[in-house]
Structures are given as C-alpha cells and as structure tokens.
Amino acid sequence: MELLEVVTDGQVRTISLTDAQVTIGRGLENDVVLTGDARASRSHALMTSIDGVWKVVDRGSTNGTYVNSVRIANPVELNPGDRINIGSSAIVLTTDRTGTAAHRLGDLDAQINAGNFRLSVADRQLLSLLANGATDREIASVMHMTVAEAAAAVEELASRTSAPRRIDLARLATSLGVG
C-alpha cells in the first residue's frame, strides 16, 4: 500500500492512499489538508493513480508545486521516495509502512539520547529549515551558500545522522524540538 509522509510546521503525518485520487491544499475540503501553511493554495495539487502509477499536477496554485526541487507545469509521474514541496510543506510518497519516518528514526532518537553524535548550531538551523519543507534553493538563501553547497550539507547531515531521506531529517528536527 502506498503512503504519503506529510511534514507541515515540523509535524509528520502518515496518510494511507486508499483512493485513486488525492487532493492537496490548505482548504478543509482536501484529502490532504495543509493546515496552517499560508504558502499553500486552498486547492493546490492533485495526485492520481492509474494502473498503480501515481502522478501529481499543480492546480494553478500561486506558489507552484515542486517535485524533487523542480517546479512542475504538467503532470509528473512519482516514484517511491520522491519529494513533493507545496508551500512550506514536504510530502514524500512511500510504499512500505515499516519504513515510514516514525519507525526509521526510533534508533536515531536512541542515538541522540545516548549522545552518540552532536549537532552544531548550523545543523540545527538546517534541520529547522528541512522540518518546514525548505528546498535546497531556500536553504542556500537562508544559510548564505550555493545551492550545491546546500544539497551537500543536507546529504552530509543525513549521512552523519543515519537519516536517509529529507523526511527523516524533518522527523529528527521535530523530535529535537527545532522545527
């Protein structure tokens, strides 16, 4: 079964995809409501599944829909692990419930509590940005670096913390209270 991991304001939700169509936006009528995300449009994006293949399309939103940091103009096919950025929210398509952020990071939380690694002020700032769905370009702007340096910083932090995906880093930020 496919799932969506949704990070908005540092909060991680996992949503089971049981229908072939999923609406996403700030409005309460959506299947995935991005409550409190002022950068998301009321009716922002639509995901559809045809023969088990998920696609996402922007619904004429003000701030656009991004898949893996690229703004989309037409429907885009999604693969497990792809990241959709809508407003300041990050959404990841996944297929394995045991691999969701909440489960993957149990060991990581134990490592943090045991003091197995330290996070610098810059690490915490990066985690906070990730918890709020920031793209590499947004991270670069805030942290005064190039987009390539921002991507490398995310990758390095993910490696150092054993958090393989951005959604995992966002969950880490939430558990540390830096989101």
Side-chain angles (χ1 to χ4, degrees):
M1 170 186 295
E2 289 98 0
L3 306 165
L4 289 180
E5 292 179 321
V6 182
V7 180
T8 303
D9 289 333
Q11 300 298 313
V12 180
R13 296 179 285 152
T14 302
I15 299 169
S16 297
L17 296 175
T18 56
D19 295 326
Q21 179 173 300
V22 177
T23 58
I24 305 169
R26 196 179 70 234
L28 297 177
E29 68 281 358
N30 289 290
D31 300 309
V32 177
V33 179
L34 304 176
T35 306
D37 188 341
R39 292 180 49 207
S41 294
R42 291 187 194 285
S43 178
H44 199 105
L46 174 68
M47 288 180 59
T48 55
S49 176
I50 300 173
D51 297 327
V53 176
W54 282 97
K55 291 185 178 183
V56 64
V57 65
D58 186 82
R59 297 174 83 185
S61 68
T62 302
N63 294 315
T65 300
Y66 296 77
V67 175
N68 298 324
S69 300
V70 176
R71 188 171 182 156
I72 63 170
N74 298 307
V76 171
E77 187 174 315
L78 298 171
N79 295 302
D82 282 347
R83 185 185 77 246
I84 304 165
N85 286 99
I86 293 177
S88 59
S89 299
I91 303 169
V92 176
L93 176 68
T94 186
T95 58
D96 181 7
R97 180 171 293 280
T98 62
T100 59
H103 293 93
R104 278 191 307 276
L105 291 173
D107 292 338
L108 181 56
D109 288 338
Q111 287 181 19
I112 292 166
N113 292 333
N116 291 349
F117 62 87
R118 300 275 185 254
L119 296 174
S120 69
V121 172
D123 291 338
R124 289 178 180 273
Q125 182 181 23
L126 180 57
L127 284 171
S128 177
L129 290 165
L130 290 166
N132 288 295
T135 64
D136 290 343
R137 184 175 307 282
E138 291 167 329
I139 291 167
S141 175
V142 169
M143 296 185 73
H144 308 291
M145 56 179 61
T146 67
V147 175
E149 289 170 333
V154 170
E155 206 164 303
E156 188 275 332
L157 183 60
S159 174
R160 198 161 30 96
T161 59
S162 301
R165 302 182 317 172
R166 289 173 89 99
I167 195 89
D168 300 320
L169 289 168
R171 170 74 168 84
L172 172 60
T174 300
S175 70
L176 294 173
V178 295

